[in-house]
Amino acid sequence: MAWLQLHIGAEEAQVDTLQSLLETLGAVAVTMTDAADQPLYEPPPGEMPLWKQIIVSALFEQTTDANLLAQALKSALGEPLPNYRMSILEDQHWERAWMEDFKPMRFGERLWIIPSWTDAPDPSATNIKLDPGLAFGTGTHETTALCLEWLDQAELRGKSVIDFGCGSGVLAIGALLLGAEHAWACDIDPQALLATASNAANNGVADRLTCVLAKDLPDDIDVDIVLANILAGPLVELSGQLSQLCRSKGHIVLSGILAAQGDSVVEAYSNAFSVDLPTQKNDWLRVTGRKH
């Protein structure tokens, strides 16, 4: 079955009204995408930020009259209509098309992320089984890749780790599969902890992982390695807490930092750590250091 597909430009304040209108006119699905390459990062609980300039896309049954649809939009929204276009979208196997976008990914020499529907290219490697989900962190973004590459070259046997802002838990799980003795995974979002626990179980490391909301993290924790792939602003604000979580001579691994923000993060941690030169991947940095 084919579909009539509508794409129409909108501003953030118009989206709710436009979505309701399209559903009233018979849309079977409505989605929003970025019209101006504006990045969005993982929001605090309860917040659902959108881009400033948005493309709203709607699917209608193929028998829908495109001219009548355009007239209905003009009647409701007024003239002139925002930029829009309509086209026929041929049917396809959507699940298979989505799955084909996600391939096994290698990080360093020994670490891979493998979607559940594919075979491991190297069964003898350290393979993290991880499917794309709602929680942030599947290895496709430079910030996650930078942290995974650090883990790949680190000596983790018997070490304790905290993944602060864990998202999908990929960093904690990777550390455990590479030999860490125990990992803490914390986040501000309960959904992230559910995703992390599920992913840990799928990888056989749930018995060595503790999931906890950031606000409930015990005060007396100190670990060998602190991993925090969040954003530069929170990294600076949380520098005291993250430094305290790391024991003497332990390591800190920070990411989610745009290149222009590197100096502020380095400065925030220089009192407690011997900070290495940042490592860059495209526009993003990883900052690491060893505690005094």
Side-chain angles (χ1 to χ4, degrees):
M1 175 179 180
W3 303 89
L4 175 66
Q5 182 173 237
L6 165 72
H7 299 293
I8 186 168
E11 296 182 356
E12 183 179 5
Q14 301 170 315
V15 167
D16 288 343
T17 299
L18 184 55
Q19 180 175 356
S20 296
L21 172 62
L22 292 169
E23 291 171 348
T24 300
L25 293 173
V28 296
V30 180
T31 59
M32 278 75 73
T33 53
D34 180 17
D37 196 26
Q38 174 194 349
L40 285 180
Y41 302 105
E42 189 172 7
E47 294 187 14
M48 296 183 65
L50 285 174
W51 305 277
K52 299 301 182 185
Q53 298 296 324
I54 299 163
I55 299 296
V56 178
S57 301
L59 287 183
F60 297 85
E61 293 186 359
Q62 187 181 14
T63 55
T64 302
D65 188 310
N67 290 326
L68 288 177
L69 178 58
Q71 290 175 15
L73 289 170
K74 290 176 183 177
S75 176
L77 301 176
E79 294 272 10
L81 271 181
N83 292 332
Y84 78 96
R85 61 183 174 87
M86 296 189 198
S87 60
I88 298 298
L89 180 66
E90 297 298 332
D91 199 12
Q92 58 177 299
H93 296 292
W94 295 107
E95 181 180 359
R96 177 58 55 187
W98 171 76
M99 289 167 65
E100 288 176 354
D101 287 337
F102 297 93
K103 308 289 186 183
M105 294 173 287
R106 184 178 182 178
F107 303 91
E109 296 298 321
R110 54 182 177 152
L111 187 60
W112 288 77
I113 290 181
I114 312 294
S116 62
W117 55 83
T118 64
D119 295 328
D122 181 3
S124 66
T126 300
N127 294 305
I128 307 173
K129 292 179 287 186
L130 190 71
D131 293 342
L134 293 177
F136 177 83
T138 55
T140 56
H141 196 275
E142 291 95 328
T143 60
T144 310
L146 284 163
C147 293
L148 290 169
E149 289 166 0
W150 187 92
L151 287 172
D152 174 76
Q153 55 79 43
E155 176 50 60
L156 298 171
R157 188 68 54 188
K159 298 296 178 67
S160 57
V161 175
I162 186 165
D163 182 357
F164 195 97
C166 58
S168 67
V170 62
L171 301 183
I173 292 166
L176 291 169
L177 290 174
L178 288 167
E181 182 176 320
H182 187 267
W184 294 79
C186 78
D187 205 288
I188 61 174
D189 186 353
Q191 183 172 271
L193 300 185
L194 291 174
T196 295
S198 175
N199 290 329
N202 290 338
N203 284 276
V205 297
D207 60 328
R208 294 185 284 138
L209 179 71
T210 301
C211 294
V212 62
L213 287 170
K215 67 181 181 65
D216 297 328
L217 197 64
D219 294 331
D220 58 352
I221 292 178
D222 65 337
V223 296
D224 297 299
I225 299 167
V226 174
L227 303 160
N229 179 23
I230 43 179
L231 294 173
L235 287 174
V236 171
E237 293 172 12
L238 295 168
S239 59
Q241 181 182 4
L242 294 178
S243 298
Q244 187 174 357
L245 290 171
C246 187
R247 63 185 46 156
S248 177
K249 298 185 180 179
H251 294 272
I252 196 161
V253 182
L254 310 171
S255 195
I257 307 161
L258 287 166
Q261 302 167 328
D263 289 346
S264 63
V265 176
V266 169
E267 182 179 357
Y269 288 86
S270 291
N271 286 338
F273 294 85
S274 297
V275 179
D276 306 314
L277 287 174
T279 300
Q280 184 164 350
K281 184 182 287 289
N282 296 325
D283 295 329
W284 299 92
L285 297 180
R286 180 188 71 215
V287 173
T288 59
R290 191 167 192 186
K291 194 166 184 183
H292 299 318

